[in-house]
Amino acid sequence: MKKYSILDKNFSVEDLRKLEENRLEKLAGEIRDHIINVTQKNGGHIAPSLGVVDLTIVLHYLYNTPEDKIIWDVGHQAYAHKIITNRAKEFETLREYGGISGFLKSKESKFDVYEAGHTSTSISAAAGFAISRKLSNKKNKIISIIGDGALTGGVAFEGLNLIGSLKEDVLIILNDNEMSIAPNVGGFSKYFNKMITNKIYLKTKKEVQKIMKNLKMGDNLIDFVERIEESLKNIVIKGAFFEDLGFEYFGPVDGHDINEMIDIINKIKNIDGPKLLHIYTQKGKGFEKAEKDPENFHGISPKKDKSENKNKKITKYTDVFSSEVYKIAKKDKEVVAITAAMPNGTGLKVIRENIPERYIDAGIAEQSAVITANALAKEGYKPFVAIYSTFLQRAFDQMIHDVALQNNPVKFFLDRAGVVGRDGPTHHGCFDISYLRLIPNIVSLAPKDSREMRAMINFMHKYSDGPITIRYPRGEAVKPFGEDKNYKKIKMGEGEILKEGEDVVFFALGRMVKEAYSVSEMLEEDGISAGVFNLRFIKPLDREKIIKLARSSRFIVTLEYGNMPGGVGEGINSILAENGISKKILNIGIPDEFVEHGQQQKLFKILGLDSESIYKRVKTWMND
Ligand SMILES: Cc1ncc(C[n+]2csc(CCOP(=O)(O)OP(=O)(O)O)c2C)c(N)n1
Ligand SMILES: CC(=O)[C@@H](O)[C@H](O)COP(=O)(O)O
Ligand SMILES: [Mg+2]
């Protein structure tokens, strides 16, 4: 037998399949070490990935991947999959610009058969692959792995519903670790828990099956079995939820017992039709700190970021939101805080801990969270809904059909707006400016700095005419700057003139106001008089001041931290066109393409959004 090392450049998935079963545990240890070492340096989803190392080995050991398709839900737990599928060395570049992605990427490997980043898509994807397999007369296997958290997302159930009716050969593996990012919530979570812990149920089910097997026609035992079944009805019927949907249910099985998993998967592999295998695992398995605190070790920061910020007192936009919402909620009993499974990331943890009666975690169910908030607002409550920009995309229809159409005063806090960094294109919050601008009735804000953000949150709290949103980026908040004597006076639809200038005027939004301000100072040094207008509102735009300033300037530049199609730049262009103002206009923002993963500041620069790049671009453009 060839000696193996997972870091050996030539180690391949074929080598794994040649290993004796009793060597797999050692391999699991080696893979865990590699994951721990790399994530300590680069950051990343350490706990979810450590939890499924054993399962990943078993799947690649038993199945003929990539012909047999393994679909990972989210993909944040797929580090072992990457390492096993011939990327062990490259894994050292995890989440670096140009390096290995933190999620699945088809262009990275043919083993990454389906890309994700948002949860709960793996079951519907399996349905698509199963239909394709049938239409093309293929025989490959299809396996989806979904976490208990991801199974709180409605689309997962839509997928189950479809596969159950298709009756195709698909194996869904439910990886149950009782954790979403935070402890998992909701009825299903309790239900799974019961299935794992209810040993009586498991034992008795086996007993009943044994009795049934030995039963002969006309046997008096029929009465006896019926009585047992009757008394167990509740439990057995509950356990049969997946079976009623058309799946054969197996488990629960210890997801760290490689031999047991090999055993059961070998047994069920060739059973036709939809199957669900329930495994239970420990998030963070093999790394003590992560096992003890899986919530904080769900995803960790890169070492570099940690050491850079060690002695710095930084205030993040999330901190500003968190402290402000807490202050407001303490005083106002009508405030209800709502998250879709992200109490930590959004900063709502403080409400969970201090005002639990007015804290709702809807699960990974953005659509449901938005509808719930809408009904609460209708009843006179003040829902503060905190959802990342990227995840609110899931609830686009609810924003239109429920909230905006009924014009209820729901307050939305869109964290991670703009480029988030290492998570990459599935997570960048690039589209909210465009997708919210097109919806009637919704007022939207973006703060230029932390002080303005506080003022805006208080403005939102008092605003009761309809839905209102605010967007802010991931990470450190811009420190208060500018004259800004009137910062407390946020008035509906009014922007703020920060600086006047006749040569060029910058209409800047949110995070970009600071850059515009710096560029204006650089231009002043070149003798170019530059004005800066802080838009404050994405919608409604301050038409009056925009027209006035545009008329009094020779050049116009718009700046936003979001994708440009449908953005504020386009909004300003149309205001100017409507008013017959024809001047040279430059729209700056994120171009109409997906942005790769990498360090946040680096991406900001690559996109040309930093003041140096803008300055150079504007100077060239003015001279063209
Ligand atoms: C639509 C959507 N909302 C929120 C998230 C953020 N998120 C990523 S992983 C995760 C928890 C997933 O839990 P589970 O599926 O049980 O996987 P585990 O991390 O426990 O292995 C959440 C909430 C997301 N990726 N997609
Ligand atoms: C996998 C996933 O979707 C989350 O874990 C996400 O990576 C969190 O992002 P933040 O680190 O910005 O909270
Ligand atoms: Mg989980």
Side-chain angles (χ1 to χ4, degrees):
M1 176 69 58
K2 191 180 145 199
K3 228 174 136 349
Y4 75 85
S5 160
I6 196 69
L7 282 175
D8 180 344
K9 244 192 160 350
N10 300 318
F11 183 89
S12 71
V13 75
E14 284 77 30
D15 293 319
L16 162 69
R17 292 188 192 125
K18 283 180 207 140
L19 292 177
E20 301 285 341
E21 201 176 309
N22 61 13
R23 294 182 65 180
L24 298 182
E25 209 173 303
K26 184 166 172 264
L27 178 69
E30 210 181 327
I31 292 174
R32 283 200 164 88
D33 286 347
H34 195 33
I35 292 176
I36 293 165
N37 290 337
V38 172
T39 50
Q40 291 290 298
K41 191 168 119 292
N42 298 18
H45 292 99
I46 177 170
S49 282
L50 289 176
V52 292
V53 170
D54 310 295
L55 172 70
T56 312
I57 290 175
V58 168
L59 292 178
H60 283 290
Y61 191 63
L62 296 182
Y63 286 95
N64 181 32
T65 56
E67 276 68 39
D68 289 341
K69 294 184 190 298
I70 299 184
I71 306 157
W72 294 95
D73 206 274
V74 195
H76 68 314
Q77 76 291 57
Y79 294 176
H81 163 85
K82 291 192 177 231
I83 292 169
I84 288 171
T85 54
N86 319 334
R87 283 169 280 179
K89 192 83 191 106
E90 291 88 338
F91 186 68
E92 282 163 16
T93 63
L94 179 72
R95 288 157 51 92
E96 300 285 357
Y97 185 69
I100 290 279
S101 161
F103 299 94
L104 297 196
K105 274 258 173 253
S106 301
K107 71 172 185 214
E108 200 176 286
S109 166
K110 61 183 181 202
F111 290 87
D112 293 6
V113 294
Y114 193 78
E115 297 185 12
H118 291 195
T119 66
S120 323
T121 61
S122 61
I123 301 178
S124 306
F129 287 127
I131 295 165
S132 147
R133 178 183 57 193
K134 188 176 179 188
L135 293 175
S136 47
N137 280 320
K138 287 190 181 152
K139 294 276 172 258
N140 60 294
K141 298 285 176 193
I142 296 164
I143 308 104
S144 278
I145 302 101
I146 185 161
D148 55 321
L151 206 61
T152 60
V155 67
F157 285 88
E158 294 166 31
L160 283 175
N161 195 32
L162 179 57
I163 292 190
S165 68
L166 287 177
K167 301 192 168 51
E168 285 295 313
D169 175 13
V170 171
L171 173 63
I172 308 293
I173 300 180
L174 166 60
N175 172 37
D176 186 357
N177 53 22
E178 295 180 40
M179 293 295 291
S180 194
I181 293 182
N184 203 10
V185 295
F188 270 104
S189 168
K190 289 203 185 97
Y191 167 63
F192 299 144
N193 202 351
K194 224 175 186 173
M195 281 154 88
I196 290 169
T197 51
N198 201 332
K199 299 273 188 320
I200 305 166
Y201 156 66
L202 286 172
K203 262 191 172 164
T204 329
K205 188 177 176 189
K206 268 194 188 143
E207 281 308 304
V208 172
Q209 281 167 346
K210 226 159 74 192
I211 296 171
M212 296 291 259
K213 246 190 196 165
N214 298 329
L215 215 64
K216 293 192 188 80
M217 281 294 284
D219 209 324
N220 290 345
L221 282 174
I222 288 174
D223 276 358
F224 174 58
V225 173
E226 272 176 0
R227 272 207 309 279
I228 298 177
E229 279 213 309
E230 193 54 36
S231 63
L232 290 170
K233 216 171 201 167
N234 269 339
I235 312 166
V236 175
I237 283 172
K238 276 183 195 162
F241 172 81
F242 293 109
E243 291 180 6
D244 286 348
L245 276 180
F247 286 77
E248 222 170 314
Y249 173 87
F250 300 92
V253 173
D254 178 353
H256 300 303
D257 186 332
I258 290 181
N259 300 329
E260 197 185 346
M261 279 194 291
I262 289 180
D263 218 37
I264 187 149
I265 294 177
N266 266 331
K267 278 189 189 127
I268 66 179
K269 215 176 151 200
N270 294 318
I271 298 177
D272 205 13
K275 299 165 284 290
L276 187 132
L277 172 63
H278 185 177
I279 67 166
Y280 52 94
T281 59
Q282 181 167 23
K283 207 162 167 168
K285 179 78 178 173
F287 187 50
E288 206 186 334
K289 286 195 238 170
E291 285 183 12
K292 280 195 179 137
D293 185 5
E295 185 166 354
N296 281 316
F297 279 82
H298 172 83
I300 56 172
S301 310
K303 201 172 190 172
K304 205 165 124 237
D305 293 6
K306 276 188 223 154
S307 57
E308 271 172 14
N309 296 327
K310 208 171 163 191
N311 300 318
K312 262 210 275 172
K313 166 99 191 73
I314 67 159
T315 305
K316 296 181 178 171
Y317 284 108
T318 309
D319 302 329
V320 176
F321 168 65
S322 189
S323 67
E324 222 49 44
V325 68
Y326 184 41
K327 260 190 245 162
I328 293 170
K330 272 195 288 190
K331 286 192 206 135
D332 184 349
K333 302 261 179 295
E334 284 173 350
V335 170
V336 180
I338 301 182
T339 175
M342 309 287 289
N344 218 343
T346 58
L348 282 184
K349 205 171 164 182
V350 63
I351 310 290
R352 177 178 81 181
E353 274 154 21
N354 296 292
I355 320 179
E357 67 282 11
R358 283 186 282 124
Y359 166 81
I360 310 289
D361 180 347
I364 312 177
E366 290 80 6
Q367 303 182 44
S368 171
V370 170
I371 298 171
T372 304
N374 193 43
L376 267 165
K378 213 175 167 74
E379 291 288 288
Y381 284 92
K382 294 174 193 151
F384 278 46
V385 183
I387 297 182
Y388 289 7
S389 161
T390 186
F391 302 141
L392 193 64
Q393 288 165 198
R394 278 276 163 101
F396 182 56
D397 180 57
Q398 288 69 28
M399 295 297 287
I400 300 174
H401 167 271
D402 297 79
V403 178
L405 183 58
Q406 297 175 38
N407 202 23
N408 287 319
V410 183
K411 296 142 202 338
F412 291 96
F413 298 84
L414 278 70
D415 203 326
R416 305 323 193 246
V419 166
V420 295
R422 295 171 195 263
D423 273 347
T426 50
H427 284 62
H428 295 318
C430 297
F431 303 106
D432 62 276
I433 299 177
S434 320
Y435 73 67
L436 291 175
R437 264 191 79 234
L438 61 81
I439 309 176
N441 288 347
I442 298 186
V443 169
S444 294
L445 295 136
K448 72 173 190 295
D449 60 28
S450 59
R451 181 170 58 185
E452 189 165 85
M453 180 164 164
R454 288 186 200 280
M456 284 180 172
I457 295 173
N458 284 286
F459 175 82
M460 292 171 76
H461 173 223
K462 291 194 190 95
Y463 179 76
S464 59
D465 292 351
I468 187 159
T469 80
I470 184 170
R471 76 185 307 261
Y472 40 94
R474 188 178 202 273
E476 187 172 1
V478 170
K479 291 191 182 66
F481 73 98
E483 295 287 316
D484 215 7
K485 291 191 189 85
N486 298 322
Y487 75 90
K488 276 194 176 140
K489 292 189 188 129
I490 304 289
K491 288 203 185 127
M492 175 50 69
E494 274 190 23
E496 173 197 33
I497 300 173
L498 277 175
K499 227 164 147 262
E500 308 223 29
E502 294 106 49
D503 294 324
V504 55
V505 61
F506 290 92
F507 292 122
L509 180 72
R511 168 73 183 82
M512 298 312 294
V513 179
K514 179 74 198 294
E515 304 304 322
Y517 199 82
S518 306
V519 177
S520 77
E521 287 176 332
M522 293 177 190
L523 291 171
E524 298 283 354
E525 280 180 23
D526 298 339
I528 297 169
S529 130
V532 180
F533 184 64
N534 168 17
L535 288 165
R536 279 188 174 161
F537 284 80
I538 296 165
K539 198 174 167 186
L541 283 166
D542 190 340
R543 300 175 79 89
E544 204 181 301
K545 288 201 200 77
I546 289 171
I547 293 166
K548 187 173 157 262
L549 291 167
R551 284 212 164 107
S552 60
S553 186
R554 288 196 299 130
F555 295 95
I556 298 159
V557 179
T558 68
L559 283 163
E560 63 198 300
Y561 194 21
N563 273 54
M564 288 194 287
V568 289
E570 283 190 0
I572 291 170
N573 293 354
S574 73
I575 291 175
L576 301 184
E578 271 168 32
N579 288 277
I581 301 169
S582 118
K583 299 247 165 113
K584 213 171 160 188
I585 303 174
L586 175 63
N587 296 132
I588 296 179
I590 300 175
D592 186 14
E593 56 196 45
F594 289 106
V595 180
E596 284 307 324
H597 66 271
Q599 203 238 344
Q600 195 185 24
Q601 276 316 307
K602 186 172 187 145
L603 296 178
F604 198 69
K605 277 208 171 124
I606 289 171
L607 290 167
L609 296 177
D610 62 301
S611 52
E612 278 291 334
S613 310
I614 297 168
Y615 166 73
K616 282 186 198 143
R617 188 167 166 198
V618 168
K619 281 280 300 236
T620 318
W621 168 76
M622 284 173 82
N623 292 327
D624 263 354

Coordinates of all heavy atoms in Angstrom, one line a residue, residues 45 47-49 51-52 73-74 76-77 103 117-120 146-152 174-182 184 281 283 298 340-342 363-366 387-388 390-392 394 427, ligand 1:
H45 N -14.7 29.2 7.6 CA -15.8 28.4 8.3 C -15.2 27.1 8.9 O -15.4 26.0 8.4 CB -16.9 28.2 7.3 CG -17.6 29.5 7.0 ND1 -17.4 30.1 5.8 CD2 -18.5 30.2 7.7 CE1 -18.1 31.2 5.8 NE2 -18.8 31.3 6.9
A47 N -15.7 25.6 12.1 CA -16.5 24.6 12.8 C -17.4 23.8 11.9 O -17.5 22.6 12.1 CB -17.3 25.4 13.9
P48 N -18.1 24.4 10.9 CA -18.9 23.6 10.1 C -18.1 22.6 9.3 O -18.5 21.4 9.1 CB -19.5 24.6 9.1 CG -19.4 26.0 9.7 CD -18.2 25.9 10.6
S49 N -16.9 23.0 8.9 CA -16.1 22.1 8.1 C -15.5 20.9 8.9 O -15.5 19.8 8.4 CB -15.0 22.8 7.4 OG -15.5 23.5 6.3
G51 N -16.9 19.6 11.3 CA -18.0 18.7 11.7 C -18.3 17.6 10.7 O -18.9 16.6 11.0
V52 N -17.9 17.8 9.4 CA -18.3 16.8 8.4 C -17.0 16.2 7.7 O -17.2 15.6 6.6 CB -19.2 17.5 7.3 CG1 -20.5 17.8 7.8 CG2 -18.5 18.7 6.6
D73 N -24.9 21.8 0.6 CA -25.7 23.0 0.9 C -24.8 24.1 1.4 O -24.0 23.8 2.3 CB -26.8 22.7 1.9 CG -28.0 23.6 1.7 OD1 -28.0 24.7 2.2 OD2 -28.9 23.2 0.9
V74 N -25.0 25.3 1.0 CA -24.2 26.4 1.3 C -22.7 26.3 0.8 O -22.3 27.1 0.1 CB -24.1 26.7 2.9 CG1 -23.5 28.1 3.1 CG2 -25.4 26.6 3.6
H76 N -20.2 26.1 2.9 CA -19.2 26.6 3.9 C -18.6 25.4 4.7 O -17.6 25.7 5.4 CB -20.0 27.5 4.8 CG -21.0 26.8 5.7 ND1 -21.9 25.9 5.2 CD2 -21.2 27.0 7.0 CE1 -22.6 25.5 6.2 NE2 -22.3 26.1 7.3
Q77 N -19.1 24.2 4.5 CA -18.6 23.1 5.3 C -17.8 22.2 4.4 O -17.4 21.1 4.8 CB -19.8 22.3 5.9 CG -20.6 21.5 5.0 CD -21.5 22.2 4.0 OE1 -21.0 23.0 3.2 NE2 -22.8 22.0 4.0
F103 N -16.3 28.7 -0.9 CA -17.5 27.9 -1.2 C -17.2 27.1 -2.5 O -16.1 27.1 -2.9 CB -18.7 28.9 -1.5 CG -19.0 29.7 -0.3 CD1 -18.5 31.0 -0.1 CD2 -19.9 29.2 0.7 CE1 -18.8 31.7 1.1 CE2 -20.2 30.0 1.9 CZ -19.6 31.2 2.0
G117 N -23.8 29.4 -1.6 CA -23.3 30.4 -0.6 C -24.5 30.8 0.3 O -24.4 31.0 1.5
H118 N -25.7 30.9 -0.4 CA -26.9 31.0 0.4 C -27.4 29.6 0.7 O -27.1 28.7 -0.1 CB -28.0 31.8 -0.5 CG -27.6 33.2 -0.7 ND1 -28.5 34.1 -1.1 CD2 -26.5 33.9 -0.5 CE1 -27.9 35.3 -1.2 NE2 -26.7 35.2 -0.8
T119 N -28.2 29.5 1.7 CA -28.6 28.1 2.2 C -29.7 27.5 1.4 O -30.4 28.2 0.7 CB -29.0 28.1 3.7 OG1 -30.2 28.9 3.7 CG2 -28.0 28.7 4.6
S120 N -29.9 26.2 1.7 CA -31.2 25.5 1.4 C -31.5 25.2 0.0 O -32.6 24.9 -0.4 CB -32.4 26.3 2.0 OG -32.1 26.9 3.3
I146 N -27.3 18.5 3.6 CA -27.9 19.7 4.1 C -27.9 19.7 5.6 O -28.1 18.7 6.3 CB -29.4 19.9 3.6 CG1 -30.0 21.2 4.0 CG2 -30.3 18.7 4.0 CD1 -31.2 21.7 3.2
G147 N -27.6 20.9 6.2 CA -27.5 21.0 7.6 C -28.9 21.2 8.2 O -29.9 21.6 7.5
D148 N -29.0 21.0 9.5 CA -30.3 21.2 10.2 C -30.7 22.7 10.1 O -31.9 23.0 10.0 CB -30.2 20.8 11.7 CG -29.1 21.4 12.4 OD1 -28.0 21.6 11.9 OD2 -29.3 21.7 13.6
G149 N -29.7 23.6 10.1 CA -30.0 25.0 10.0 C -30.6 25.3 8.6 O -31.7 26.0 8.5
A150 N -29.9 24.8 7.6 CA -30.4 25.1 6.2 C -31.8 24.5 6.0 O -32.5 25.0 5.1 CB -29.4 24.5 5.2
L151 N -32.1 23.5 6.8 CA -33.4 22.9 6.6 C -34.5 23.7 7.2 O -35.7 23.4 7.1 CB -33.4 21.4 7.2 CG -34.5 20.5 6.6 CD1 -34.3 20.3 5.1 CD2 -34.5 19.1 7.3
T152 N -34.2 24.8 7.9 CA -35.2 25.7 8.3 C -35.6 26.7 7.2 O -36.6 27.5 7.3 CB -34.8 26.6 9.5 OG1 -33.6 27.4 9.2 CG2 -34.5 25.7 10.7
L174 N -29.0 14.5 6.0 CA -29.3 15.6 6.9 C -28.2 15.6 8.0 O -28.1 14.7 8.8 CB -30.7 15.4 7.6 CG -31.0 16.3 8.8 CD1 -30.9 17.8 8.5 CD2 -32.4 16.0 9.4
N175 N -27.4 16.7 7.9 CA -26.3 16.8 8.9 C -26.8 17.6 10.1 O -26.8 18.8 10.0 CB -25.0 17.4 8.3 CG -24.0 17.8 9.3 OD1 -23.8 17.0 10.3 ND2 -23.3 18.9 9.2
D176 N -27.1 16.9 11.2 CA -27.8 17.5 12.3 C -26.8 17.8 13.4 O -26.3 16.8 14.1 CB -28.9 16.6 12.7 CG -29.8 17.2 13.8 OD1 -29.5 18.3 14.3 OD2 -30.7 16.5 14.2
N177 N -26.4 19.0 13.7 CA -25.5 19.3 14.8 C -26.2 20.3 15.8 O -25.5 20.9 16.6 CB -24.2 19.9 14.3 CG -24.4 21.1 13.4 OD1 -25.5 21.8 13.4 ND2 -23.4 21.4 12.5
E178 N -27.5 20.4 15.6 CA -28.3 21.3 16.5 C -27.9 22.7 16.5 O -28.2 23.5 17.3 CB -28.3 20.8 17.9 CG -29.0 19.4 18.0 CD -29.0 18.9 19.4 OE1 -29.2 19.6 20.4 OE2 -28.8 17.6 19.6
M179 N -27.1 23.1 15.4 CA -26.7 24.5 15.3 C -27.0 25.0 13.9 O -26.8 24.3 12.9 CB -25.1 24.6 15.5 CG -24.6 24.3 16.9 SD -25.1 25.4 18.1 CE -24.3 26.9 17.7
S180 N -27.5 26.2 13.9 CA -27.4 27.0 12.7 C -26.1 27.8 12.9 O -25.1 27.1 13.2 CB -28.6 27.9 12.6 OG -28.8 28.5 11.3
I181 N -26.0 29.1 12.6 CA -24.8 29.8 13.1 C -24.9 29.8 14.6 O -24.0 29.4 15.4 CB -24.6 31.2 12.5 CG1 -24.3 31.1 11.0 CG2 -23.5 31.9 13.2 CD1 -24.1 32.4 10.3
A182 N -26.0 30.3 15.1 CA -26.4 30.3 16.5 C -27.1 28.9 16.7 O -27.4 28.2 15.8 CB -27.4 31.4 16.8
N184 N -29.7 26.2 16.7 CA -30.8 26.2 15.7 C -32.2 26.4 16.4 O -32.3 26.2 17.6 CB -30.8 24.9 15.0 CG -31.5 24.9 13.7 OD1 -31.9 26.0 13.2 ND2 -31.8 23.8 13.0
T281 N -23.8 15.1 14.2 CA -22.4 15.4 14.3 C -22.2 16.5 15.3 O -23.1 17.2 15.8 CB -21.9 15.9 12.9 OG1 -22.6 17.1 12.5 CG2 -21.9 14.9 11.9
K283 N -20.5 20.1 15.8 CA -19.9 21.2 15.0 C -18.5 21.5 15.7 O -18.4 21.6 16.9 CB -20.8 22.5 15.1 CG -20.7 23.4 14.0 CD -21.8 24.3 13.8 CE -21.5 25.4 12.9 NZ -22.7 26.2 12.5
H298 N -18.1 29.4 14.2 CA -18.7 29.1 12.9 C -17.9 29.6 11.8 O -17.5 28.9 10.8 CB -20.1 29.8 12.9 CG -20.8 29.7 11.5 ND1 -21.5 28.6 11.1 CD2 -20.8 30.6 10.5 CE1 -21.9 28.8 9.9 NE2 -21.6 30.0 9.5
A340 N -33.0 36.6 10.7 CA -33.2 35.3 10.1 C -31.9 34.6 10.3 O -31.0 34.5 9.5 CB -33.4 35.5 8.6
A341 N -31.8 34.0 11.6 CA -30.7 33.2 12.0 C -29.3 33.8 12.1 O -28.3 33.1 12.0 CB -30.6 31.9 11.0
M342 N -29.3 35.1 12.2 CA -28.0 35.8 12.3 C -27.9 36.8 13.5 O -27.6 38.0 13.3 CB -27.7 36.6 11.0 CG -27.9 35.9 9.7 SD -26.6 34.7 9.3 CE -25.2 35.8 9.0
G363 N -35.3 31.7 11.9 CA -34.6 30.6 11.2 C -34.0 31.2 9.9 O -34.2 32.4 9.6
I364 N -33.4 30.3 9.1 CA -32.9 30.8 7.8 C -34.0 31.0 6.9 O -34.2 30.2 5.9 CB -31.8 29.9 7.3 CG1 -30.8 29.6 8.4 CG2 -31.0 30.6 6.1 CD1 -29.7 28.6 8.0
A365 N -34.9 32.0 7.1 CA -36.1 32.1 6.5 C -36.4 33.6 6.3 O -37.3 34.1 6.9 CB -37.2 31.4 7.3
E366 N -35.7 34.2 5.4 CA -35.8 35.6 5.2 C -37.2 36.0 4.8 O -37.8 37.0 5.2 CB -34.8 36.1 4.2 CG -33.3 36.1 4.7 CD -32.7 34.7 4.6 OE1 -33.3 33.8 4.1 OE2 -31.5 34.6 5.2
I387 N -31.1 42.1 8.4 CA -30.8 41.1 7.4 C -29.7 41.6 6.5 O -29.7 42.7 6.1 CB -32.0 40.7 6.6 CG1 -33.1 40.1 7.4 CG2 -31.6 39.6 5.5 CD1 -34.4 39.6 6.7
Y388 N -28.7 40.7 6.3 CA -27.6 41.1 5.4 C -28.2 41.5 4.0 O -29.2 40.8 3.5 CB -26.6 40.0 5.2 CG -25.7 39.7 6.3 CD1 -25.9 40.3 7.6 CD2 -24.6 38.8 6.2 CE1 -25.0 39.9 8.7 CE2 -23.8 38.5 7.2 CZ -24.0 39.0 8.5 OH -23.2 38.7 9.5
T390 N -27.2 40.8 1.1 CA -27.3 39.6 0.1 C -28.4 38.7 0.5 O -29.0 38.1 -0.4 CB -25.9 38.8 0.1 OG1 -26.0 37.8 -0.9 CG2 -25.6 38.2 1.5
F391 N -28.7 38.5 1.7 CA -29.8 37.5 2.1 C -31.2 38.1 2.0 O -32.1 37.4 1.8 CB -29.5 37.0 3.5 CG -28.2 36.3 3.7 CD1 -27.5 36.5 4.9 CD2 -27.7 35.5 2.7 CE1 -26.2 35.9 5.1 CE2 -26.4 34.9 2.9 CZ -25.7 35.1 4.1
L392 N -31.3 39.4 2.0 CA -32.6 40.0 1.8 C -33.0 39.8 0.3 O -34.2 39.9 0.0 CB -32.6 41.5 2.1 CG -34.0 42.2 2.2 CD1 -34.8 41.6 3.3 CD2 -33.9 43.7 2.4
R394 N -33.4 37.2 -1.0 CA -34.3 36.0 -0.9 C -35.8 36.5 -0.7 O -36.7 35.9 -1.1 CB -34.0 35.2 0.3 CG -32.9 34.2 0.2 CD -33.5 32.9 -0.5 NE -32.4 32.1 -1.0 CZ -31.9 31.0 -0.4 NH1 -32.4 30.7 0.8 NH2 -31.0 30.3 -1.0
H427 N -21.9 36.5 -1.4 CA -22.2 37.3 -0.2 C -22.0 38.8 -0.3 O -22.4 39.5 0.6 CB -21.3 36.8 0.9 CG -21.7 35.5 1.5 ND1 -21.8 34.3 0.8 CD2 -22.1 35.1 2.8 CE1 -22.2 33.3 1.5 NE2 -22.4 33.8 2.7
Ligands
LIG1 C1 -30.2 32.6 2.7 C2 -29.1 32.6 3.7 N1 -29.3 33.2 4.9 C3 -28.4 33.2 5.8 C4 -27.2 32.6 5.6 C5 -26.1 32.6 6.6 N2 -25.7 31.3 7.1 C6 -24.7 30.6 6.5 S1 -24.5 29.1 7.2 C7 -25.8 29.3 8.2 C8 -26.1 28.3 9.2 C9 -26.3 27.0 8.5 O1 -26.6 26.0 9.5 P1 -26.5 24.5 9.0 O2 -27.1 24.3 7.7 O3 -27.1 23.7 10.1 O4 -24.9 24.2 8.9 P2 -23.8 24.1 10.0 O5 -23.1 25.4 9.9 O6 -24.5 23.9 11.3 O7 -23.0 23.0 9.5 C10 -26.4 30.6 8.0 C11 -27.5 31.1 8.8 C12 -27.0 32.0 4.3 N3 -25.8 31.5 3.9 N4 -27.9 32.0 3.4

